[in-house]
Amino acid sequence: MKNKILIILNGLLFLAFYFAYQKENQFAFILNLKYIIFMIICIYILVFYKVQKQKILIQIIYMLLAITFCVIPIIGLINFSNIQIFYNMALYFIYILYLYLMTCVVTQENLVSKLITLFFYITLIYLVYLIFSTQISLFNISDIKNAFNLDDRIRQDFGLKHANTAGLIGFVGILLCTYKMYFDNKKNFLVYLLGIVVPIIIILNSGSRTALTGVLIFWMVLIYKHYKKNLRTRFKNVYFILLWISLLFSIFTYLIYSNLNYSIILENSNRYYGWVNTFDYINQFNNIIVGTGFVNISYFYDNINTIIITDNWYIYTYMTLGLLGIIVMVILLISLFIYFIKDFRKNKDKNVIKMNIYVYSIFVSCMYYAIFEITLMVPSEIISLLLWLLIGFYIANSKKGIVS
């Protein structure tokens, strides 16, 4: 019973993320509901579960995350006396505690598959809702072309805060559906088809180039690693479906980018000039060691009269936490990258290898995604939640053969 309640609470957490993405939901309670649920889940786990000590690698990962986002910011808090830094530290502490406790309990109780399945159906239903709530033709090729047209770009936001948010949710939908296709022992072809087609419709109409190329990278890495290991599974047709969809994505992406002048892209992109302004802003502080203070991204948009840290998690981390913060995170990311590769080579258990391939593919695509969006380690982004939960689940169970 306690496991069912835990899964339900996490389902409500996913819904809270999606409600917070809605354009019309600007009430503080709705925007902060996910943080309240984070705390409820943490308390529930501490009360009803006996949290077992995890392997040393798990402890090191969460220790580094806590140092980066809860300890290093103290220096900025002392230097700048900005209460926003304290608030941001508190949110990250709750978030990291949630990730650690969930890693411990879900692996103890072997709930990974049930949890991911619930996330998949919630996301699919939400994406279908977004499509039916849109009063335009979603299959019009000219409209899709306009979504990627730099000169006169018209994008569909599906009632969310931004079109890129719709693209991000579509990206999450692809990741979750791929899990079902990769591990499910049932031939739910119609569910798989819906789970792939619906997110693709969302991504194409949102005009999110990051989501489009992120999906391409994810699928290509997964397919390459799978066939490199020469895994033999019953449902090979699933991979042919993925391969052909990836190929179509490749062709579509090529058609989008092949005839573009990249200097024009830079001129029309807020990101590039935002990055330039960000480094100029950092130089004004002459404090590259600890940064300008660990405040939420929205603080800069509301309080600084210039475009800075426009959609790049690495630059955001460098700006707010300085060289100390970004160096710790780069070391952690490189270490995880090496760990996945080594574990892939030496593991013999088929289920563990498949989970390695799946999580590694998400890890690579999310590192790419973070170049253009602030998503890699952020309490307010659902892709960050999914990524770090899966990393924790995999590492905690990689030696037990029960990762899926």
Side-chain angles (χ1 to χ4, degrees), residues 63-83:
M63 181 182 68
L64 289 176
L65 291 175
I67 289 173
T68 304
F69 299 107
C70 301
V71 177
I72 293 177
I74 294 175
I75 303 174
L77 182 63
I78 295 172
N79 287 344
F80 305 112
S81 301
N82 188 334
I83 192 63

Side-chain angles (χ1 to χ4, degrees), residues 21 168 171-172 175 366 375 381-388:
Y21 286 142
L168 178 66
F171 178 66
V172 171
L175 302 184
C366 284
T375 53
E381 294 295 344
I382 201 163
I383 186 61
S384 170
L385 175 76
L386 182 63
L387 170 66
W388 290 99

Side-chain angles (χ1 to χ4, degrees), residues 215-229:
V215 168
L216 176 62
I217 290 170
F218 167 68
W219 274 341
M220 287 302 185
V221 172
L222 185 142
I223 293 169
Y224 169 75
K225 296 286 282 187
H226 178 86
Y227 283 106
K228 182 179 180 180
K229 202 69 174 181

Side-chain angles (χ1 to χ4, degrees), residues 54-233:
Q54 292 296 307
K55 62 174 63 175
I56 188 67
L57 181 57
I58 292 290
Q59 297 180 43
I60 291 174
I61 289 172
Y62 287 103
M63 181 182 68
L64 289 176
L65 291 175
I67 289 173
T68 304
F69 299 107
C70 301
V71 177
I72 293 177
I74 294 175
I75 303 174
L77 182 63
I78 295 172
N79 287 344
F80 305 112
S81 301
N82 188 334
I83 192 63
Q84 294 296 327
I85 298 175
F86 175 78
Y87 291 153
N88 213 28
M89 289 168 53
L91 289 180
Y92 271 82
F93 175 78
I94 295 169
Y95 182 53
I96 294 169
L97 179 62
Y98 161 83
L99 291 173
Y100 177 74
L101 291 175
M102 282 295 296
T103 296
C104 295
V105 170
V106 171
T107 51
Q108 287 172 206
E109 304 292 332
N110 195 20
L111 301 175
V112 177
S113 182
K114 293 180 180 178
L115 198 63
I116 301 302
T117 298
L118 178 63
F119 289 167
F120 164 68
Y121 282 109
I122 288 174
T123 302
L124 179 58
I125 292 170
Y126 183 73
L127 289 171
V128 171
Y129 160 76
L130 292 181
I131 288 179
F132 279 104
S133 65
T134 303
Q135 302 300 318
I136 66 169
S137 174
L138 298 175
F139 301 95
N140 191 313
I141 299 300
S142 61
D143 288 343
I144 293 174
K145 284 185 177 180
N146 286 336
F148 294 92
N149 187 344
L150 290 178
D151 296 326
D152 186 22
R153 200 173 185 192
I154 302 174
R155 308 170 65 187
Q156 177 58 242
D157 62 16
F158 296 91
L160 304 177
K161 292 180 179 179
H162 195 280
N164 285 338
T165 305
L168 178 66
I169 298 175
F171 178 66
V172 171
I174 293 288
L175 302 184
L176 292 170
C177 184
T178 304
Y179 176 91
K180 295 295 294 178
M181 297 172 73
Y182 205 38
F183 293 101
D184 200 347
N185 290 324
K186 300 176 182 178
K187 295 183 179 180
N188 295 320
F189 181 78
L190 291 179
V191 175
Y192 297 156
L193 184 63
L194 192 66
I196 291 295
V197 171
V198 170
I200 287 178
I201 293 172
I202 296 286
I203 292 172
L204 292 180
N205 283 273
S206 72
S208 175
R209 294 173 298 220
T210 306
L212 181 69
T213 50
V215 168
L216 176 62
I217 290 170
F218 167 68
W219 274 341
M220 287 302 185
V221 172
L222 185 142
I223 293 169
Y224 169 75
K225 296 286 282 187
H226 178 86
Y227 283 106
K228 182 179 180 180
K229 202 69 174 181
N230 195 27
L231 292 178
R232 299 188 180 277
T233 58

